Amino acid sequence: MSINENDVILQVQDLKKHFMPHQGLLQSLGTKTKKVIKAVDGISFGIRRGEIFGLIGESGSGKTTTGKLVMKLIEPTSGKIVFNGEDVTITDRGRTKAYRRQVQMIFQDPYASMNPRFKIRDVLGEPLIIHKIEGDRLRHEEMIIKSLTEVKLNPPSDFMGRYPHMLSGGQRQRVATARTLILNPMMLVADEPVSMIDLSTRAEILHMMKDVQRDLGLTYLYITHDLSTARYFTDRIAVMYLGRIVEMGRADDVIDNPIHPYTRALIDAVPEPETGMVDIIKELPISGEIPSPANIPPGCRFHTRCPYAKPVCSEQTEPELSDVGNGHFHACRRWKEL
Amino acid sequence: MDKILEVKNLRLYYHTNKGAVKALDDVSFDLYKGETLGLVGESGCGKTTTGVALLRMPSPPGRIEEGSQIFLDGRDIMGLSEKQIRKDVRWEEVSMVFQGAMNCLTPVYTIGKQMLETLQEHREMEKKQAEKLIKEYLGLVGLPPEVMNRYPHELSGGMKQRIVIATALFLKPKLVVLDEPTTALDVIVQAQIINLLKKLKKTFDLSFIFITHDLSLEAEVSDRVCVMYAGKIAELGTNQQIYGKQGPMHPYTEKLLLATPLLKKKVETLSFIPGAPPDLIDPPSGCRFHPRCHKVMDKCKEEIPPLLELEPGHMVACWRCVK
Ligand SMILES: Nc1ncnc2c1ncn2[C@@H]1O[C@H](COP(=O)(O)OP(=O)(O)OP(=O)(O)O)[C@@H](O)[C@H]1O
Ligand SMILES: Nc1ncnc2c1ncn2[C@@H]1O[C@H](COP(=O)(O)OP(=O)(O)OP(=O)(O)O)[C@@H](O)[C@H]1O
Ligand code: SF4
Ligand SMILES: [Mg+2]
Ligand SMILES: [Mg+2]
């Protein structure tokens, strides 16, 4: 399926999510921050119909919060979400429920998301009941079989009577995916945690997700901090840092020709299966860890860790995303000099 | 070069009520002083089990079976009593950074208190002196002394991992088992921790066993790599032999590498190994990998392939590789 640049299914406009600091427990343990936590601090992007859009960045950069905003699991502090031409930023309960059928979340920890006492048939039947999908038992059974076929668990009858623990990690993930597909969503949001899942199983899962996406013409928002996977799996990526997007473009452009110093640092840090590294202490272009979103540095928020930072970077206003042509955006003032 | 560790015919079974899980079956390898040996393989292949066996502390219902031999710096530790192990082997000679340990720091105690307790369990030491030592170790892992007064939730993942590493080094062990020490961290912090480990290794003249399922990461840290599958060693070779131009020999290693996504080279498809690792209560006959192997022959299904040295330092357990 070819992607039409102008056919945007999800548009996010200057979206923000600011959390009030925790009260109680943390304070009694001695934390005194009273500042708001700017988890997502003004991001805009559009995802095209049939596209796999990746969101990457370090831990704490605001990826999951963005995913939750898109899923409408939390309310934005400000900004706008337009889905399929409709402003869905604020919706009533009925519309929200319908929205969550169209935009489904894939849980990346299928252990946690499946009732161990349910057979696979019931795991898949449950969303049909929750969403009061019309049809009798037989019709529901057909839908279950169809979704198992879509994720290549063949023959479906072999799997329907099993319990989750009787499946391998890869198979369990297929069931979790089938569970979201059964409601015929238009878009899937997958938030991959820093995972213990091994590479072969992950490759298997990504293959399956890509096949499903192609077969059904779905759109994905794929959240990860693994650039290598993003490169293989996504069409476009947005790199987040401390609640903002600092670079965005076609996955190949961003990874082969990164512009923003933060993206460059991320790429440098990724290990490759090559020889000759064992006795080498890798030069890391940036040091330290991501600052607290309760204390965002002024100007370019990356300036405290940026190897190229000059006074202008902290003195002037925050750089906005700008296009270098071919839809490759970055937010770095000094990009021409790097 | 001197050997710090020799493991011979190590078997560790978990005696569950469904039967014995043969988590390690006849595993033999050596580790030289100052060397890093990597253990890689899919989930459940026995990496953590190997690590805890070296501390002689299998998690219940695990048991190191009769006939297993572990020599630490030339000394047979299988013959030692639990008391002796505690007195001068576990944590003293061999220590371990456990998988997920950074999330197991006690939330209600300060870092200083937790480190102090660990230290005083093993050493009779005045509080002042102990605190001085703690500060010294915090410095070694790149943390300021104020960290002592902080609680775990006030620290980032990378900082917590540094604390866990400092604690593992307290008693000046010779060998440290690092079980997925960076898996829960993002790439930049991971790279920082790897650099730190490399520096500490030099400073203290340590030997490492580095466990991970990430073959790319293993390539950056390990002098030699041991690939495990279903409780056995499939292949063991130098970094060059596993990652070099010639490529690995065992079909399992080959497949694992093909499932590793590369950043700088665009791959059209990422392959994977269909199926899952076997049930270790009743593992497959012959080569344990045969049900998933793309090069399987009749012989593989019947006879267990021996781990043979096919070129100097390169051990492989595969019938296809026996000429
Ligand atoms: N409910 C909340 N209340 C207060 N702060 C929050 C809340 N949820 C998230 N945060 C903070 O917002 C920031 C962004 O968190 P988020 O979970 O979106 O990051 P992430 O990019 O998904 O990180 P990771 O890679 O670790 O999953 C973090 O500093 C986090 O501590
Ligand atoms: N306490 C236990 N009781 C029973 N079986 C166990 C126990 N601990 C581990 N096992 C089993 O022993 C085998 C090896 O487990 P081990 O934890 O060593 O694997 P691993 O290679 O470290 O995997 P991972 O990458 O998931 O950490 C697995 O089949 C596991 O299910
Ligand atoms: S022994 Fe046979 S089944 Fe085992 S890895 Fe070699 S070729 Fe494959
Ligand atoms: Mg997250
Ligand atoms: Mg393990």
Side-chain angles (χ1 to χ4, degrees), chain A residues 59 194 198 207 231 280 289, chain B residues 43 156 183 186 198 263 270:
Chain A
S59 188
V194 191
D198 54 67
H207 254 280
R231 159 153 224 174
I280 292 175
E289 291 184 49
Chain B
S43 185
S156 68
T183 308
D186 51 59
K198 286 180 178 178
L263 182 63
L270 205 52

Side-chain angles (χ1 to χ4, degrees), chain A residues 104-120:
Chain A
Q104 289 264 321
M105 184 102 186
I106 297 196
F107 288 97
Q108 300 278 290
D109 182 7
Y111 289 86
S113 65
M114 259 180 238
N115 187 331
R117 282 185 298 266
F118 274 20
K119 288 187 176 156
I120 300 310

Side-chain angles (χ1 to χ4, degrees), chain A residues 223-278:
Chain A
I223 300 172
T224 179
H225 61 161
D226 180 3
L227 269 166
S228 320
T229 307
R231 159 153 224 174
Y232 160 75
F233 185 61
T234 63
D235 299 307
R236 283 191 305 141
I237 55 181
V239 181
M240 279 188 86
Y241 184 76
L242 210 51
R244 294 275 284 200
I245 292 173
V246 296
E247 185 155 359
M248 179 163 74
R250 284 185 37 232
D252 287 350
D253 289 340
V254 172
I255 288 165
D256 290 332
N257 303 304
I259 297 170
H260 199 282
Y262 175 62
T263 316
R264 295 179 182 205
L266 274 183
I267 291 172
D268 281 349
V270 173
E272 296 269 336
E274 282 165 359
T275 58
M277 287 300 297
V278 177

Side-chain angles (χ1 to χ4, degrees), chain A residues 26 29-31 57-60 168-169 174 194-207 210 225-229 231-232 234 252 255-256 262 265-284 286-289 305, chain B residues 41-43 99-100 107 151 153-154 156-159 162 180 183-192 195 198-199 202 213-217 219-223 239-240 243-244 256-257 259-273 275-276 292:
Chain A
L26 294 193
L29 289 174
T31 311
E58 274 172 292
S59 188
S168 73
R174 284 169 194 264
V194 191
S195 67
M196 294 284 175
I197 210 163
D198 54 67
L199 293 173
S200 172
T201 309
R202 191 154 81 182
E204 180 182 358
I205 292 167
L206 291 174
H207 254 280
K210 211 162 183 165
H225 61 161
D226 180 3
L227 269 166
S228 320
T229 307
R231 159 153 224 174
Y232 160 75
T234 63
D252 287 350
I255 288 165
D256 290 332
Y262 175 62
L266 274 183
I267 291 172
D268 281 349
V270 173
E272 296 269 336
E274 282 165 359
T275 58
M277 287 300 297
V278 177
D279 296 316
I280 292 175
I281 302 276
K282 238 189 196 175
E283 284 272 351
L284 295 177
I286 68 178
S287 59
E289 291 184 49
R305 294 170 82 198
Chain B
E42 283 165 286
S43 185
Q99 197 166 0
Y151 291 91
H153 73 89
E154 297 176 295
S156 68
M159 292 166 94
R162 283 169 197 266
E180 303 274 10
T183 308
L185 305 169
D186 51 59
V187 279
I188 290 177
V189 181
Q190 166 171 289
Q192 291 167 353
N195 278 349
K198 286 180 178 178
K199 282 180 197 149
K202 276 227 172 81
H213 63 253
D214 182 348
L215 271 85
S216 305
L217 181 62
E220 290 202 342
V221 292
S222 297
D223 299 294
N239 190 292
Q240 183 66 39
Y243 297 102
L256 277 181
L257 272 172
T260 306
L262 307 178
L263 182 63
K264 281 142 205 158
K265 260 179 260 140
K266 168 110 177 169
V267 281
E268 275 318 317
T269 50
L270 205 52
S271 78
F272 59 90
I273 315 169
R292 301 171 76 193

Side-chain angles (χ1 to χ4, degrees), chain B residues 92-113:
Chain B
E92 304 279 343
E93 296 268 295
V94 194
S95 73
M96 181 155 173
V97 169
F98 287 96
Q99 197 166 0
M102 63 181 225
N103 299 318
C104 299
L105 294 166
T106 317
V108 293
Y109 293 141
T110 59
I111 298 302
K113 187 171 157 100

Side-chain angles (χ1 to χ4, degrees), chain A residues 39-40 43 55 58-67 240 242-243:
Chain A
V40 170
I43 59 172
L55 205 54
E58 274 172 292
S59 188
S61 57
K63 305 181 296 296
T64 297
T65 307
T66 305
M240 279 188 86
L242 210 51

